[in-house]
Amino acid sequence: MNGPRWLPTMLLISIFQVITFYQVIFVQDGTLNTAVGVVFVIFTAIEWLWAVLSTIILSKSSLALECIAFFLTGISLVITASCGTGLLIKQFVAFVIGFGCYVGLLYVVQNTERAEKFRKPMAAASIVLLLITLVLAKNINGAYNWLVIGGLSIQTSELVKVAFIFVGAATLEKLQSSRSLTQYVIFAVICIGLLFLMRDLGTALIFFFTFVVLAFMRSGDVRTILFLILGAAMLAGLIVLMRSDYIMKRFATYRHVWDFADGKGYQQTRVLTYSVSGGWLGLGIGNGHLRDIFAATEDLVFGVLCEEWGILIAFLVAWAFIFIFIHSIRCAKGARSAFYSISSCAAGGLLLFQAALNIFGVTDFLPLTGVTLPFISRGGSSTISCWALLAFIKAADNRTWAGGKR
């Protein structure tokens, strides 16, 4: 997708988006929903404007990553639009902020020395933000991970994901003493520990997985990874003993959802039932029954994709995350600095791992952790963090800086 090669791909994505947006752009009486139309036009304009500008500014850069992200984000906007215009506007604003973070972070990490200056402030800000959340957050669906500010809900752990990788890559890239490593380990333990206290077990697991990837990328030592996993298992066992009632409630239905079809397994059994009812091509956007279930367009959105969009599109979405991960590894191999290699693999691994937790969780292959499906699930905080994480992968690609100043 170098240079003009991105044109056919962008045209295909735009055609797909026109077809899908057309299904939600008109209300039931056939009149045009102006707000939805405006969002679609602006979103399409941003896609093409970035394609043209990046071709001019980053002349040798690949647009493969952005094409996938725009494809997934477009699906998210359509699903959200089918739920309500107000929700669509919030989701679109989150995309704009996230895309701005993507461009801004791409500029910051262009220079590793400049990135190094942000390392400690970002680490401190992350811990403070999680502490504030732990103190002020209200219990929402069993977890204390949402801050409500002026009517807006913010899941702070989503924002800390970006800082977690940034701080880790910046620290491990210039690892010259055990003190630096110790500082990052302490930072990671504090973040993961606070997430456990918030009862945000899914995000805590994602953070730990990311920490393992960061550690492996720096050391390359399998024994170190096994030691970390063993230590985490011991810590998890201690937590289970301390909070056994809560843990058991969260995982009591795992592999037994049909035994609790009208109780704790209600969501997953409906996902399993309605997902296959959509067939290969789906029932049509907004025509599914799963959307009437709680958190359908958030935690259960993969089921909505299967039912309304069809299994083909759902599989294509799943493969998109695999492609992002493979792309992150390919970029890391030729990266000009360890910072880019570490952060690229960590970001790609995080997105793939989170997608796997969501997809396999709602289908009962894994315990349901309540994490979102990256880019697709409705939620502003998640959308912002996903776009920001892409900057690490984009920056690792040497073609991004081939024609620009380093």
Side-chain angles (χ1 to χ4, degrees):
M1 291 186 188
N2 294 331
R5 293 181 182 179
W6 55 262
L7 185 59
T9 303
M10 286 293 294
L11 284 173
L12 285 175
I13 292 175
S14 293
I15 292 172
F16 173 78
Q17 290 172 346
V18 167
I19 295 173
T20 54
F21 261 93
Y22 179 80
Q23 299 181 54
V24 294
I25 205 171
F26 294 98
V27 294
Q28 293 182 348
D29 61 0
T31 58
L32 175 68
N33 188 324
T34 306
V36 176
V38 170
V39 167
F40 173 63
V41 170
I42 297 176
F43 177 68
T44 305
I46 291 174
E47 289 178 315
W48 284 91
L49 183 61
W50 173 254
V52 173
L53 288 178
S54 61
T55 301
I56 297 173
I57 300 173
L58 308 172
S59 58
K60 296 183 179 181
S61 175
S62 169
L63 281 176
L65 197 62
E66 291 94 329
C67 284
I68 292 177
F70 283 131
F71 167 70
L72 296 175
T73 302
I75 292 176
S76 175
L77 292 176
V78 172
I79 292 176
T80 307
S82 67
C83 297
T85 304
L87 294 174
L88 171 64
I89 294 174
K90 289 182 179 180
Q91 189 73 7
F92 177 70
V93 170
F95 155 70
V96 173
I97 296 173
F99 187 74
C101 291
Y102 167 73
V103 176
L105 188 57
L106 196 61
Y107 168 76
V108 170
V109 301
Q110 180 183 4
N111 186 306
T112 55
E113 293 182 359
R114 178 169 56 217
E116 171 67 19
K117 297 178 181 179
F118 287 89
R119 178 172 64 92
K120 290 184 179 180
M122 289 187 73
S126 299
I127 294 175
V128 171
L129 190 59
L130 290 177
L131 283 171
I132 292 174
T133 305
L134 180 63
V135 174
L136 301 181
K138 296 180 179 180
N139 189 327
I140 300 179
N141 302 327
Y144 297 85
N145 56 349
W146 289 88
L147 277 181
V148 180
I149 304 174
L152 296 176
S153 299
I154 302 174
Q155 190 172 2
T156 55
S157 59
E158 290 289 341
L159 307 180
V160 175
K161 283 179 184 176
V162 182
F164 192 79
I165 292 179
F166 187 100
V167 173
T171 301
L172 301 177
E173 190 261 343
K174 295 183 178 180
L175 191 58
Q176 298 176 346
S177 66
S178 59
R179 180 181 178 184
S180 297
L181 177 60
T182 302
Q183 289 176 347
Y184 181 64
V185 171
I186 293 173
F187 168 69
V189 170
I190 291 175
C191 288
I192 296 173
L194 288 172
L195 289 170
F196 268 112
L197 292 176
M198 295 175 192
R199 298 185 177 184
D200 194 352
L201 303 182
T203 306
L205 187 60
I206 292 172
F207 270 57
F208 175 73
F209 173 83
T210 306
F211 174 72
V212 170
V213 173
L214 288 165
F216 179 76
M217 285 297 298
R218 188 61 183 90
S219 66
D221 187 359
V222 177
R223 289 179 298 179
T224 301
I225 305 307
L226 292 176
F227 174 77
L228 290 172
I229 294 175
L230 179 61
M234 294 175 63
L235 179 61
L238 179 61
I239 292 173
V240 169
L241 291 175
M242 294 173 61
R243 310 183 70 113
S244 58
D245 292 340
Y246 173 71
I247 300 295
M248 292 307 295
K249 287 180 181 179
R250 287 298 304 269
F251 299 108
T253 60
Y254 175 53
R255 305 302 297 167
H256 298 283
V257 292
W258 292 106
D259 296 335
F260 305 90
D262 294 322
K264 298 175 183 177
Y266 184 83
Q267 288 176 297
Q268 288 165 289
T269 54
R270 270 55 185 180
V271 170
L272 295 172
T273 301
Y274 296 140
S275 293
V276 296
S277 67
W280 291 106
L281 300 178
L283 301 177
I285 300 169
N287 296 328
H289 300 287
L290 184 60
R291 63 174 49 247
D292 297 326
I293 307 301
F294 175 73
T297 55
E298 296 160 303
D299 300 348
L300 313 180
V301 72
F302 186 74
V304 174
L305 277 175
C306 292
E307 183 184 18
E308 298 185 2
W309 298 64
I311 295 177
L312 286 176
I313 295 297
F315 280 180
L316 185 60
V317 167
W319 274 105
F321 296 109
I322 296 176
F323 179 86
I324 290 175
F325 178 64
I326 294 174
H327 188 73
S328 70
I329 296 177
R330 292 180 61 186
C331 292
K333 287 182 178 180
R336 56 192 172 93
S337 168
F339 172 85
Y340 299 114
S341 297
I342 294 171
S343 60
S344 177
C345 288
L350 186 154
L351 290 171
L352 178 62
F353 184 69
Q354 181 172 332
L357 283 181
N358 178 277
I359 294 172
F360 294 134
V362 297
T363 53
D364 202 34
F365 284 98
L366 291 175
L368 181 63
T369 54
V371 299
T372 57
L373 184 61
F375 295 103
I376 301 291
S377 292
R378 182 170 61 84
S381 302
S382 176
T383 299
I384 293 171
S385 70
C386 288
W387 271 98
L389 288 170
L390 286 185
F392 294 120
I393 304 175
K394 181 74 171 182
D397 190 345
N398 278 330
R399 292 171 295 180
T400 301
W401 317 115
K405 182 181 178 181
R406 298 187 182 184

